[in-house]
Amino acid sequence: MKKIVTILGARPQFIKAATVSRQFQQLGIDERIVHTGQHFDQNMSEVFFEEMEIPHPAYQLNIHSLSHGAMTGRMLEAIEPILLTEKPDGVLVYGDTNSTLAGALAAAKLNIPVIHIEAGLRSFNNQMPEEINRILTDRLSQLLFCPTQTAVQNLQREGFEQFDVEIVKNGDVMQDAALFYAKKAAEKSTIIQRLGLKKFALATIHRQENTDSIDALTGIIEGLNAIHAQLPVLVPLHPRTRNIIAQHNMPVHFQTIEPVGYFDMIRLLQACEIVLTDSGGVQKEAFFFGKHCITLRQETEWIELVENGYNVLVGSNPEKMQHAFEQLLTKTSDFNINLYGNGHAAELAANSILAH
Ligand code: UDP
Protein backbone atom coordinates (compact mmCIF):
# COMPACT_ATOMS: atom_id res chain seq x y z
CA MET A 1 0.00 0.00 0.00
CA LYS A 2 1.43 3.35 -1.06
CA LYS A 3 -1.35 5.75 -0.24
CA ILE A 4 -3.01 5.76 3.17
CA VAL A 5 -5.75 7.90 4.65
CA THR A 6 -5.41 8.06 8.43
CA ILE A 7 -8.45 8.91 10.53
CA LEU A 8 -7.81 10.31 13.97
CA GLY A 9 -9.41 12.69 16.41
CA ALA A 10 -8.56 12.05 20.06
CA ARG A 11 -5.50 12.73 22.20
CA PRO A 12 -4.15 9.17 22.47
CA GLN A 13 -4.45 8.81 18.69
CA PHE A 14 -2.20 11.79 18.04
CA ILE A 15 0.47 10.16 20.19
CA LYS A 16 0.15 6.82 18.41
CA ALA A 17 0.03 8.43 14.97
CA ALA A 18 3.19 10.46 15.61
CA THR A 19 5.27 7.28 15.62
CA VAL A 20 3.68 5.68 12.55
CA SER A 21 3.55 8.86 10.46
CA ARG A 22 7.30 9.29 10.94
CA GLN A 23 7.85 5.77 9.59
CA PHE A 24 5.51 6.44 6.65
CA GLN A 25 7.57 9.50 5.72
CA GLN A 26 10.76 7.46 5.82
CA LEU A 27 9.23 4.76 3.62
CA GLY A 28 7.76 7.24 1.14
CA ILE A 29 4.16 6.25 1.91
CA ASP A 30 1.75 9.03 0.94
CA GLU A 31 -0.36 9.71 4.05
CA ARG A 32 -3.36 12.04 4.20
CA ILE A 33 -4.54 12.71 7.75
CA VAL A 34 -8.19 13.38 8.53
CA HIS A 35 -8.74 15.01 11.95
CA THR A 36 -12.35 14.45 12.96
CA GLY A 37 -12.23 17.16 15.63
CA GLN A 38 -13.33 14.85 18.46
CA HIS A 39 -10.71 16.54 20.67
CA PHE A 40 -10.28 20.17 19.71
CA ASP A 41 -8.84 22.30 22.55
CA GLN A 42 -5.30 23.57 21.97
CA ASN A 43 -4.02 21.48 24.87
CA MET A 44 -5.97 18.37 23.84
CA SER A 45 -4.99 18.49 20.16
CA GLU A 46 -2.77 21.16 18.56
CA VAL A 47 0.01 20.88 21.15
CA PHE A 48 0.61 17.24 20.12
CA PHE A 49 0.88 18.10 16.42
CA GLU A 50 3.42 20.83 17.26
CA GLU A 51 5.57 18.97 19.80
CA MET A 52 5.56 15.59 18.12
CA GLU A 53 5.87 17.04 14.61
CA ILE A 54 2.86 15.18 13.28
CA PRO A 55 2.06 16.13 9.67
CA HIS A 56 -0.75 18.69 9.44
CA PRO A 57 -4.13 17.14 8.77
CA ALA A 58 -5.24 17.43 5.17
CA TYR A 59 -8.85 17.56 6.40
CA GLN A 60 -10.36 19.03 9.58
CA LEU A 61 -13.92 17.89 10.19
CA ASN A 62 -14.59 19.81 13.45
CA ILE A 63 -17.09 17.25 14.72
CA HIS A 64 -17.29 17.20 18.52
CA SER A 65 -19.42 17.72 21.62
CA LEU A 66 -22.20 15.43 20.40
CA SER A 67 -23.72 12.20 21.69
CA HIS A 68 -21.95 9.01 20.66
CA GLY A 69 -24.47 8.16 17.95
CA ALA A 70 -24.62 11.66 16.46
CA MET A 71 -20.85 12.05 16.54
CA THR A 72 -20.15 8.71 14.92
CA GLY A 73 -22.87 9.25 12.32
CA ARG A 74 -21.65 12.70 11.31
CA MET A 75 -18.10 11.48 11.08
CA LEU A 76 -19.15 8.58 8.87
CA GLU A 77 -20.97 10.97 6.57
CA ALA A 78 -18.05 13.40 6.41
CA ILE A 79 -15.34 10.77 5.88
CA GLU A 80 -17.05 8.99 2.98
CA PRO A 81 -16.60 11.76 0.35
CA ILE A 82 -12.97 12.21 1.41
CA LEU A 83 -12.26 8.54 0.76
CA LEU A 84 -14.05 8.76 -2.59
CA THR A 85 -11.84 11.71 -3.56
CA GLU A 86 -8.55 10.39 -2.18
CA LYS A 87 -9.00 6.76 -3.30
CA PRO A 88 -6.42 5.42 -0.83
CA ASP A 89 -5.04 1.88 -0.85
CA GLY A 90 -5.96 1.57 2.81
CA VAL A 91 -7.54 3.46 5.70
CA LEU A 92 -5.63 3.49 8.98
CA VAL A 93 -7.39 3.84 12.31
CA TYR A 94 -6.07 3.76 15.87
CA GLY A 95 -7.47 2.52 19.14
CA ASP A 96 -11.09 2.64 20.16
CA THR A 97 -12.77 6.04 19.81
CA ASN A 98 -15.80 7.12 17.79
CA SER A 99 -13.34 8.42 15.17
CA THR A 100 -11.87 4.90 14.92
CA LEU A 101 -15.22 3.27 14.30
CA ALA A 102 -16.45 5.96 11.90
CA GLY A 103 -13.25 5.72 9.85
CA ALA A 104 -13.36 1.93 9.72
CA LEU A 105 -17.03 1.84 8.78
CA ALA A 106 -16.70 4.49 6.07
CA ALA A 107 -13.80 2.59 4.51
CA ALA A 108 -15.37 -0.87 4.81
CA LYS A 109 -18.57 0.31 3.08
CA LEU A 110 -16.43 1.50 0.17
CA ASN A 111 -14.45 -1.76 0.10
CA ILE A 112 -11.24 -0.01 1.07
CA PRO A 113 -9.03 -2.19 3.29
CA VAL A 114 -9.06 -1.13 6.94
CA ILE A 115 -5.88 -1.19 8.99
CA HIS A 116 -6.34 -1.19 12.77
CA ILE A 117 -3.47 -0.34 15.07
CA GLU A 118 -4.12 -1.48 18.64
CA ALA A 119 -6.35 -4.33 17.53
CA GLY A 120 -7.56 -7.19 19.71
CA LEU A 121 -7.80 -5.33 23.02
CA ARG A 122 -10.79 -6.23 25.14
CA SER A 123 -12.07 -5.14 28.53
CA PHE A 124 -15.05 -7.53 28.23
CA ASN A 125 -17.20 -4.68 29.50
CA ASN A 126 -19.72 -3.73 26.84
CA GLN A 127 -20.88 -0.77 28.94
CA MET A 128 -17.74 1.02 27.78
CA PRO A 129 -18.24 2.87 24.49
CA GLU A 130 -14.62 2.02 23.68
CA GLU A 131 -15.32 -1.72 23.86
CA ILE A 132 -18.07 -1.45 21.24
CA ASN A 133 -15.79 0.62 19.01
CA ARG A 134 -12.96 -1.92 19.30
CA ILE A 135 -15.03 -5.01 18.61
CA LEU A 136 -16.66 -3.51 15.53
CA THR A 137 -13.47 -1.93 14.19
CA ASP A 138 -11.58 -5.20 14.50
CA ARG A 139 -14.34 -7.04 12.63
CA LEU A 140 -14.16 -4.50 9.78
CA SER A 141 -10.36 -4.64 9.48
CA GLN A 142 -8.17 -6.59 7.08
CA LEU A 143 -4.85 -5.82 8.68
CA LEU A 144 -4.86 -6.04 12.46
CA PHE A 145 -1.84 -4.90 14.44
CA CYS A 146 -1.90 -6.25 17.99
CA PRO A 147 0.24 -4.74 20.75
CA THR A 148 0.29 -7.86 22.96
CA GLN A 149 -0.06 -11.63 22.84
CA THR A 150 -3.27 -11.26 24.88
CA ALA A 151 -4.69 -9.13 22.07
CA VAL A 152 -3.77 -11.79 19.50
CA GLN A 153 -5.46 -14.45 21.65
CA ASN A 154 -8.60 -12.36 22.01
CA LEU A 155 -8.93 -12.23 18.22
CA GLN A 156 -8.26 -15.96 17.91
CA ARG A 157 -10.95 -16.67 20.49
CA GLU A 158 -13.40 -14.60 18.43
CA GLY A 159 -12.65 -16.73 15.37
CA PHE A 160 -10.55 -14.23 13.44
CA GLU A 161 -8.28 -16.97 12.13
CA GLN A 162 -11.16 -18.11 9.96
CA PHE A 163 -11.54 -14.68 8.37
CA ASP A 164 -9.55 -13.45 5.40
CA VAL A 165 -7.47 -11.07 7.52
CA GLU A 166 -3.90 -10.74 8.68
CA ILE A 167 -3.05 -10.49 12.36
CA VAL A 168 0.37 -9.10 13.23
CA LYS A 169 1.77 -8.77 16.73
CA ASN A 170 3.86 -5.65 16.28
CA GLY A 171 4.14 -4.35 19.86
CA ASP A 172 2.86 -1.11 21.28
CA VAL A 173 3.36 2.10 19.33
CA MET A 174 2.95 4.07 22.56
CA GLN A 175 6.17 2.53 23.79
CA ASP A 176 7.88 3.77 20.62
CA ALA A 177 6.57 7.26 21.44
CA ALA A 178 7.69 7.09 25.07
CA LEU A 179 11.19 6.00 24.06
CA PHE A 180 11.53 8.42 21.15
CA TYR A 181 10.29 11.55 22.92
CA ALA A 182 11.76 10.95 26.41
CA LYS A 183 15.02 12.75 25.57
CA LYS A 184 13.26 15.69 23.92
CA ALA A 185 10.91 15.94 26.91
CA ALA A 186 13.86 16.08 29.30
CA GLU A 187 15.38 18.94 27.24
CA LYS A 188 12.21 20.92 26.59
CA SER A 189 9.83 20.47 29.53
CA THR A 190 10.13 22.77 32.53
CA ILE A 191 7.02 21.56 34.33
CA ILE A 192 8.81 20.21 37.40
CA GLN A 193 10.47 23.58 38.08
CA ARG A 194 7.40 25.58 37.00
CA LEU A 195 5.19 23.82 39.51
CA GLY A 196 7.93 23.45 42.13
CA LEU A 197 7.26 19.72 42.37
CA LYS A 198 9.15 17.48 44.75
CA LYS A 199 7.66 14.10 45.65
CA PHE A 200 4.17 13.66 44.24
CA ALA A 201 1.58 11.23 42.91
CA LEU A 202 0.32 11.78 39.35
CA ALA A 203 -3.33 11.11 38.57
CA THR A 204 -5.63 11.37 35.55
CA ILE A 205 -9.42 10.82 35.41
CA HIS A 206 -11.51 10.96 32.25
CA ARG A 207 -13.21 7.63 31.52
CA GLN A 208 -16.95 7.98 30.99
CA GLU A 209 -17.74 5.25 33.54
CA ASN A 210 -16.09 7.46 36.17
CA THR A 211 -17.16 10.92 35.02
CA ASP A 212 -20.78 10.03 34.25
CA SER A 213 -21.35 8.39 37.62
CA ILE A 214 -21.47 10.88 40.47
CA ASP A 215 -20.89 8.03 42.96
CA ALA A 216 -17.80 6.84 41.11
CA LEU A 217 -16.33 10.32 40.74
CA THR A 218 -17.09 11.16 44.38
CA GLY A 219 -15.33 7.95 45.47
CA ILE A 220 -12.25 8.73 43.37
CA ILE A 221 -12.04 12.29 44.66
CA GLU A 222 -12.41 11.10 48.24
CA GLY A 223 -9.60 8.58 47.64
CA LEU A 224 -7.34 11.18 46.03
CA ASN A 225 -8.03 13.67 48.86
CA ALA A 226 -7.01 11.00 51.41
CA ILE A 227 -3.85 10.10 49.48
CA HIS A 228 -3.03 13.79 49.10
CA ALA A 229 -2.84 14.02 52.91
CA GLN A 230 0.15 11.63 52.70
CA LEU A 231 1.76 12.61 49.38
CA PRO A 232 0.83 15.62 47.22
CA VAL A 233 -1.39 14.56 44.32
CA LEU A 234 -1.22 16.39 40.98
CA VAL A 235 -4.00 15.96 38.41
CA PRO A 236 -3.83 17.34 34.86
CA LEU A 237 -7.59 17.46 34.57
CA HIS A 238 -9.52 16.45 31.48
CA PRO A 239 -12.05 19.18 30.52
CA ARG A 240 -15.01 16.78 30.91
CA THR A 241 -13.98 15.86 34.44
CA ARG A 242 -13.33 19.49 35.36
CA ASN A 243 -16.84 20.48 34.26
CA ILE A 244 -18.51 17.72 36.24
CA ILE A 245 -16.50 18.46 39.38
CA ALA A 246 -17.47 22.15 39.09
CA GLN A 247 -21.15 21.41 38.39
CA HIS A 248 -21.42 19.25 41.51
CA ASN A 249 -19.17 21.40 43.65
CA MET A 250 -17.07 18.41 44.66
CA PRO A 251 -14.47 19.12 47.36
CA VAL A 252 -11.02 18.82 45.76
CA HIS A 253 -8.01 19.13 48.09
CA PHE A 254 -5.31 18.06 45.64
CA GLN A 255 -3.70 20.20 42.93
CA THR A 256 -5.33 20.29 39.51
CA ILE A 257 -3.87 21.80 36.36
CA GLU A 258 -5.04 22.05 32.77
CA PRO A 259 -4.23 19.04 30.55
CA VAL A 260 -0.55 19.13 29.65
CA GLY A 261 1.30 18.45 26.39
CA TYR A 262 3.09 15.17 25.83
CA PHE A 263 6.53 16.45 26.83
CA ASP A 264 5.24 17.73 30.17
CA MET A 265 3.32 14.49 30.67
CA ILE A 266 6.46 12.44 30.12
CA ARG A 267 8.34 14.57 32.64
CA LEU A 268 5.56 14.14 35.18
CA LEU A 269 5.57 10.38 34.65
CA GLN A 270 9.34 10.26 35.04
CA ALA A 271 9.37 12.38 38.19
CA CYS A 272 6.36 11.06 40.12
CA GLU A 273 6.36 8.41 42.85
CA ILE A 274 3.24 6.59 41.72
CA VAL A 275 0.43 6.89 39.15
CA LEU A 276 -3.34 6.70 39.63
CA THR A 277 -5.38 6.66 36.44
CA ASP A 278 -8.36 5.38 34.50
CA SER A 279 -6.56 5.99 31.19
CA GLY A 280 -5.46 3.11 29.00
CA GLY A 281 -2.35 4.85 27.73
CA VAL A 282 -1.23 6.21 31.08
CA GLN A 283 -1.32 2.71 32.65
CA LYS A 284 1.31 1.59 30.16
CA GLU A 285 3.31 4.80 30.35
CA ALA A 286 3.58 4.32 34.12
CA PHE A 287 5.23 0.97 33.36
CA PHE A 288 7.45 2.44 30.61
CA PHE A 289 8.78 4.97 33.12
CA GLY A 290 9.16 2.43 35.94
CA LYS A 291 6.21 3.51 38.10
CA HIS A 292 3.56 1.42 39.81
CA CYS A 293 0.01 2.21 38.82
CA ILE A 294 -3.32 2.17 40.63
CA THR A 295 -6.02 1.80 38.01
CA LEU A 296 -9.34 3.47 38.77
CA ARG A 297 -11.35 0.87 36.89
CA GLN A 298 -12.78 -2.59 37.52
CA GLU A 299 -10.97 -4.15 34.57
CA THR A 300 -8.17 -3.38 32.14
CA GLU A 301 -7.21 -4.26 28.60
CA TRP A 302 -3.57 -4.26 29.74
CA ILE A 303 -3.92 -7.34 31.91
CA GLU A 304 -0.21 -8.23 31.77
CA LEU A 305 0.52 -5.20 33.96
CA VAL A 306 -1.78 -6.57 36.66
CA GLU A 307 -0.49 -10.14 36.30
CA ASN A 308 3.08 -8.95 36.78
CA GLY A 309 2.26 -6.86 39.85
CA TYR A 310 2.87 -3.41 38.35
CA ASN A 311 -0.76 -2.42 38.37
CA VAL A 312 -3.63 -2.85 40.84
CA LEU A 313 -7.30 -2.44 39.87
CA VAL A 314 -9.35 -0.61 42.49
CA GLY A 315 -12.40 0.78 40.66
CA SER A 316 -13.62 3.97 42.31
CA ASN A 317 -13.46 2.69 45.89
CA PRO A 318 -11.58 5.17 48.14
CA GLU A 319 -10.54 2.53 50.71
CA LYS A 320 -9.16 0.26 47.99
CA MET A 321 -7.32 3.25 46.51
CA GLN A 322 -5.63 4.01 49.82
CA HIS A 323 -4.83 0.36 50.49
CA ALA A 324 -3.22 -0.04 47.05
CA PHE A 325 -1.37 3.24 47.53
CA GLU A 326 0.16 2.05 50.81
CA GLN A 327 1.13 -1.30 49.26
CA LEU A 328 2.62 0.07 46.04
CA LEU A 329 4.37 3.20 47.33
CA THR A 330 7.12 1.22 49.01
CA LYS A 331 7.13 -1.76 46.64
CA THR A 332 10.18 -2.30 44.45
CA SER A 333 9.74 -4.05 41.10
CA ASP A 334 11.95 -4.87 38.16
CA PHE A 335 10.38 -2.99 35.25
CA ASN A 336 12.94 -4.32 32.86
CA ILE A 337 10.77 -6.90 31.10
CA ASN A 338 9.56 -6.81 27.55
CA LEU A 339 5.76 -6.70 27.57
CA TYR A 340 5.16 -4.35 24.65
CA GLY A 341 7.85 -4.97 22.05
CA ASN A 342 11.13 -3.17 21.93
CA GLY A 343 10.22 0.24 20.56
CA HIS A 344 9.93 -0.85 16.92
CA ALA A 345 6.17 -1.35 16.76
CA ALA A 346 5.55 1.55 14.37
CA GLU A 347 8.39 0.48 12.09
CA LEU A 348 7.02 -3.07 11.91
CA ALA A 349 3.52 -1.82 11.17
CA ALA A 350 4.64 0.65 8.48
CA ASN A 351 6.81 -1.93 6.72
CA SER A 352 4.00 -4.44 6.79
CA ILE A 353 1.54 -1.85 5.38
CA LEU A 354 3.96 -0.98 2.58
CA ALA A 355 4.34 -4.67 1.71
CA HIS A 356 0.57 -5.11 1.20
N1 UDP B 1 -1.73 12.78 28.21
C1 UDP B 1 -1.14 14.01 27.99
N2 UDP B 1 -1.51 15.05 28.78
C2 UDP B 1 -2.41 14.93 29.80
C3 UDP B 1 -2.98 13.65 30.03
C4 UDP B 1 -2.64 12.60 29.21
O1 UDP B 1 -0.31 14.14 27.09
O2 UDP B 1 -2.69 15.92 30.47
C5 UDP B 1 -1.35 11.68 27.32
C6 UDP B 1 -0.85 10.46 28.05
O3 UDP B 1 0.51 10.58 28.33
C7 UDP B 1 -1.16 9.35 27.06
C8 UDP B 1 -2.41 9.83 26.39
O4 UDP B 1 -2.51 11.23 26.64
O5 UDP B 1 -0.13 9.23 26.10
C9 UDP B 1 -3.57 9.10 26.98
O6 UDP B 1 -4.71 9.65 26.56
P1 UDP B 1 -6.09 9.46 27.34
O7 UDP B 1 -5.81 9.16 28.76
O8 UDP B 1 -6.90 10.65 26.99
O9 UDP B 1 -6.76 8.23 26.58
P2 UDP B 1 -6.73 6.66 26.75
O10 UDP B 1 -5.30 6.22 26.71
O11 UDP B 1 -7.43 6.33 28.01
O12 UDP B 1 -7.48 6.16 25.56
Side-chain angles (χ1 to χ4, degrees):
M1 294 178 183
K2 286 250 180 222
K3 180 171 179 182
I4 299 293
V5 167
T6 298
I7 314 288
L8 39 71
R11 177 168 65 185
Q13 293 167 334
F14 310 140
I15 291 160
K16 292 164 198 168
T19 65
V20 178
S21 292
R22 193 169 345 99
Q23 297 296 331
F24 279 172
Q25 284 170 350
Q26 285 175 16
L27 294 175
I29 292 177
D30 178 11
E31 183 187 32
R32 306 285 157 87
I33 295 181
V34 179
H35 188 325
T36 62
Q38 191 171 342
H39 283 167
F40 54 93
D41 291 337
Q42 206 279 341
N43 58 6
M44 293 292 287
S45 173
E46 187 54 35
V47 64
F48 298 98
F49 284 84
E50 285 163 13
E51 285 186 343
M52 304 178 87
E53 298 172 87
I54 305 167
H56 277 290
Y59 299 89
Q60 295 271 8
L61 305 184
N62 292 319
I63 299 170
H64 54 78
S65 313
L66 295 165
S67 66
H68 283 281
M71 198 192 293
T72 313
R74 290 213 193 149
M75 287 175 183
L76 177 64
E77 192 179 11
I79 293 166
E80 186 174 62
I82 296 173
L83 299 184
L84 287 168
T85 307
E86 293 288 349
K87 298 186 178 52
D89 301 318
V91 168
L92 172 59
V93 294
Y94 292 93
D96 53 25
T97 70
N98 292 335
S99 306
T100 315
L101 177 59
L105 197 48
K109 295 247 179 202
L110 295 172
N111 291 322
I112 301 169
V114 178
I115 307 155
H116 189 200
I117 289 193
E118 226 178 55
L121 295 177
R122 298 289 181 266
S123 66
F124 303 101
N125 174 2
N126 277 4
Q127 301 294 314
M128 287 177 75
E130 293 91 342
E131 184 75 353
I132 309 288
N133 292 338
R134 289 180 193 122
I135 293 171
L136 296 176
T137 301
D138 281 343
R139 191 62 189 87
L140 296 171
S141 300
Q142 270 77 53
L143 196 46
L144 297 107
F145 290 102
C146 295
T148 60
Q149 193 54 32
T150 309
V152 174
Q153 284 160 359
N154 287 338
L155 294 179
Q156 288 170 342
R157 204 180 310 113
E158 291 174 25
F160 274 68
E161 280 173 321
Q162 280 134 55
F163 306 150
D164 186 17
V165 301
E166 194 171 330
I167 298 172
V168 181
K169 185 182 142 193
N170 68 315
D172 191 329
V173 295
M174 288 192 102
Q175 181 159 36
D176 298 19
L179 290 171
F180 185 85
Y181 292 101
K183 196 161 161 271
K184 287 195 177 194
E187 285 163 16
K188 302 241 161 111
S189 168
T190 58
I191 191 154
I192 305 296
Q193 299 87 306
R194 244 170 35 234
L195 299 181
L197 294 168
K198 302 230 156 49
K199 287 188 175 230
F200 66 99
L202 177 66
T204 74
I205 324 156
H206 77 289
R207 208 89 290 116
Q208 191 175 306
E209 70 213 52
N210 286 330
T211 57
D212 284 11
S213 154
I214 300 308
D215 283 352
L217 193 54
T218 305
I220 289 172
I221 288 177
E222 197 182 315
L224 291 179
N225 282 341
I227 291 169
H228 181 70
Q230 298 172 61
L231 178 72
V233 173
L234 175 71
V235 186
L237 204 52
H238 194 284
R240 177 169 58 206
T241 321
R242 183 178 291 283
N243 289 340
I244 295 169
I245 288 176
Q247 269 166 25
H248 295 272
N249 225 350
M250 295 180 174
V252 167
H253 301 157
F254 46 87
Q255 185 178 5
T256 65
I257 55 174
E258 290 298 309
V260 294
Y262 189 61
F263 291 174
D264 282 347
M265 191 64 186
I266 287 186
R267 281 301 293 134
L268 293 174
L269 284 156
Q270 287 172 329
C272 71
E273 302 297 313
I274 192 163
V275 174
L276 297 104
T277 191
D278 58 8
S279 156
V282 177
Q283 286 175 58
K284 281 174 295 163
E285 288 166 342
F287 168 76
F288 300 151
F289 293 109
K291 304 298 150 88
H292 289 109
C293 181
I294 298 170
T295 295
L296 308 169
R297 291 180 49 195
Q298 303 289 354
E299 71 281 305
T300 179
E301 302 76 31
W302 308 103
I303 193 71
E304 53 288 328
L305 294 174
V306 176
E307 286 167 357
N308 286 285
Y310 302 118
N311 189 331
V312 174
L313 300 173
V314 297
S316 54
N317 181 311
E319 285 81 35
K320 285 190 184 169
M321 284 169 70
Q322 285 172 75
H323 182 67
F325 174 75
E326 271 145 32
Q327 273 189 327
L328 290 182
L329 190 63
T330 48
K331 183 174 175 178
T332 48
S333 295
D334 178 6
F335 288 88
N336 211 4
I337 66 168
N338 184 348
L339 296 178
Y340 297 107
N342 49 10
H344 296 286
E347 193 183 318
L348 279 168
N351 278 307
S352 167
I353 290 167
L354 183 65
H356 273 78

